[in-house]
Amino acid sequence: MSKRRKLRNYWLIPSYQGRYVGFLLASCLAAMTGYSLVFYRFIRENYDTLVELSPMDDTSRRVLYSELNTITIYLVVVSIVFLLCVGVIGVVFSHKVAGPMYKIGVVCNDIIKGNLGKRIALRPGDDFREVVGRVNKAFNTLHRSLS
């Protein structure tokens, strides 16, 4: 059996991960929109000045503005790809928090059901290793005191 994780296994706590990824994407989108508007305004202003001061025919002017539109389209496409990458990175990083929280919940439910020997096991890259160590130590103490 393959040890690779399935994509749906990265989305463990949708309420938390959705807020995390949404905030990340909204922040990036706001910054990209601001930069794009400033960039477009100044480039457009310079194009207008160049076209106005240059002795060129209408065909050349249309070509220049067509190139400006092409650059704008490229920037939009690159921005969309960037947002997709940030979204994927956000899901992966939020999983490093959601994974341990999910496992803590599963083990707590098992202990509530009477399986007092259950403990939380994390992957090497997970966050909250120290906290989970303390929780496991507390479970061990409780288990010993009940035995």
Side-chain angles (χ1 to χ4, degrees):
M1 180 184 213
S2 174
K3 290 193 176 212
R4 292 181 53 128
R5 286 184 226 152
K6 294 181 178 156
L7 185 58
R8 72 171 182 259
N9 292 342
Y10 276 90
W11 200 250
L12 296 173
I13 305 175
S15 61
Y16 163 75
Q17 289 178 278
R19 282 192 319 270
Y20 180 87
V21 173
F23 179 76
L24 202 59
L25 290 176
S27 300
C28 288
L29 185 61
M32 287 178 3
T33 301
Y35 288 135
S36 297
L37 291 174
V38 168
F39 175 79
Y40 185 78
R41 179 179 174 266
F42 285 107
I43 293 297
R44 179 65 187 230
E45 200 174 277
N46 288 325
Y47 260 66
D48 290 342
T49 303
L50 177 67
V51 167
E52 184 181 311
L53 297 176
S54 297
M56 61 178 77
D57 59 6
D58 286 340
T59 305
S60 298
R61 288 184 175 132
R62 279 194 299 273
V63 168
L64 275 176
Y65 283 108
S66 174
E67 287 177 2
L68 176 62
N69 291 335
T70 301
I71 290 170
T72 304
I73 290 169
Y74 284 150
L75 285 174
V76 168
V77 169
V78 167
S79 296
I80 290 169
V81 170
F82 176 74
L83 281 176
L84 289 173
C85 291
V86 167
V88 169
I89 290 168
V91 169
V92 169
F93 276 100
S94 69
H95 181 72
K96 291 186 177 288
V97 172
M101 294 301 113
Y102 179 79
K103 287 180 180 179
I104 288 170
V106 168
V107 169
C108 285
N109 284 337
D110 284 345
I111 289 174
I112 289 168
K113 291 176 185 173
N115 188 354
L116 301 178
K118 274 294 227 188
R119 298 298 175 264
I120 305 160
L122 297 180
R123 295 176 306 264
D126 282 339
D127 288 341
F128 301 112
R129 298 186 71 70
E130 185 177 312
V131 172
V132 167
R134 289 182 191 157
V135 170
N136 281 336
K137 197 172 191 178
F139 287 160
N140 289 337
T141 303
L142 285 172
H143 187 139
R144 278 193 307 271
S145 68
L146 294 173
S147 297

